[in-house]
Amino acid sequence: MLIDYSDNLIQSNSSIECGIKLLDGLKLKILFILDDKKKLVGTVTDGDIRRAMLSNIKLSGPILMAMNKKFIKYFEGSDLSGLKAKILKDDLKAIPVIQSNGLIVEVHALGAHPNQALKDNVVLLMAGGFGTRLSPLTDNCPKPLLKVGDKPIIQTIIENFIEHGLNNFVISTHYKSDMIKNYLGNGKNLNCSIEYLEEESPLGTAGCLSLLSDTHLGKPVFMMNADILTNVNFTQLLDFHLKAKTAITMCVRNYTHQIPYGVIRTNNHLIESIDEKPTQVSKVNAGIYIVNPETITNLQQGKNLDMPALINSELEKNSSAVSVFPIHEYWLDIGQIADYQKAQVDFISNFSND
């Protein structure tokens, strides 16, 4: 169908960061990039932006660095009878029809795909940690139940998943598990389903996967620490995982660290260069995963296992078994008091409905 694409236009001199903000407010998640003569020079989707991030392109850089130059297009006057089939076959967001000079005539799409479409995937939340770095706040309260804003951390996490059509939850507990169960119950008050796994002794960051039953493993499983505040697009994460066809997808974030000294590069006893207080960017684990059922069924039930060990085990079997999904959305690991204090401030601008 024809769509109103006026809100999907962006100038070629805009930044990637500007494109992200524009995409966040759109139902149809695609941008059409115009040069100063209003000629269509490319398109950008969320996937294009994340691929740019994997290539270490800064979000402050020009959107042209993330642009798809080889986008599918039709020219004015051509036969459009196969256009809808093309969108379906190639899983496209939209196809523009342009004039010979590059000006857009119209845009065809099947319509926005709502995040709220129900999904059968199970979400496993790891909520069994002691939260010792947040003591004394966690002396009498498990970390997932600490309030950020007007609600516990774990409730915000659950509500974010529900917004993306994910409403089947399994919560792995250990420390003060009864408090978590008494607060959340079976999930009825949140319009979702909640089951619980009890770790008799801590099983590490991946061991609780082995406690899932066959009924949980019909589709890939989301797995997330229950102390992370984020608005990651879980719909796009699932789409990415399914297209990547890997055993595990790990969410990663860019972490920037400035070395407080001049870094010297040498060749034997001679200095080749000196870089004064350079900034290094590394990709770090964001504590959010999707794991295929086949990987989970091969685990030894009840055995302590950390996620790095599971990932390395999969890589030993297949070097292409694990993919990374770079996230540009808000993300905060509430591990220490300073993080908890920051979360209180950030909550207002990132999660409050007021």
Side-chain angles (χ1 to χ4, degrees), residues 93-138:
K93 302 287 186 185
I95 294 180
V97 177
I98 64 174
Q99 297 176 359
S100 58
N101 60 5
L103 298 180
I104 298 177
V105 177
E106 58 192 26
V107 173
H108 293 254
L110 299 182
H113 300 284
N115 290 332
Q116 293 82 359
L118 290 179
K119 305 171 180 67
D120 295 332
N121 306 73
V122 165
V123 178
L124 174 61
L125 299 178
M126 296 174 286
F130 293 98
T132 52
R133 292 179 298 166
L134 280 169
S135 180
L137 298 177
T138 51

Side-chain angles (χ1 to χ4, degrees), residues 170-173 180-182 184-186 194-198:
V170 177
I171 301 177
S172 182
T173 61
I180 295 175
K181 294 174 183 177
N182 290 338
L184 294 173
N186 61 8
I194 298 178
E195 300 176 50
Y196 297 91
L197 302 175
E198 182 73 35

Side-chain angles (χ1 to χ4, degrees), residues 28-29 115 122 134 179 190 224 249 287 291 304 317 322 329 353:
L28 185 65
K29 302 293 185 180
N115 290 332
V122 165
L134 280 169
M179 292 182 67
L190 293 174
M224 178 172 166
T249 294
V291 186
N304 187 290
K317 291 183 283 187
V322 183
E329 297 90 340
N353 293 322

Side-chain angles (χ1 to χ4, degrees), residues 6 22 42 64 79 84 150 179 318:
S6 56
L22 186 54
L64 294 174
D79 181 10
K84 180 178 179 180
D150 59 352
M179 292 182 67
N318 178 0

Side-chain angles (χ1 to χ4, degrees), residues 302-316:
K303 180 181 179 181
N304 187 290
L305 180 67
D306 284 325
M307 204 64 192
L310 174 59
I311 288 173
N312 287 330
S313 173
E314 290 298 314
L315 291 174
E316 287 176 3

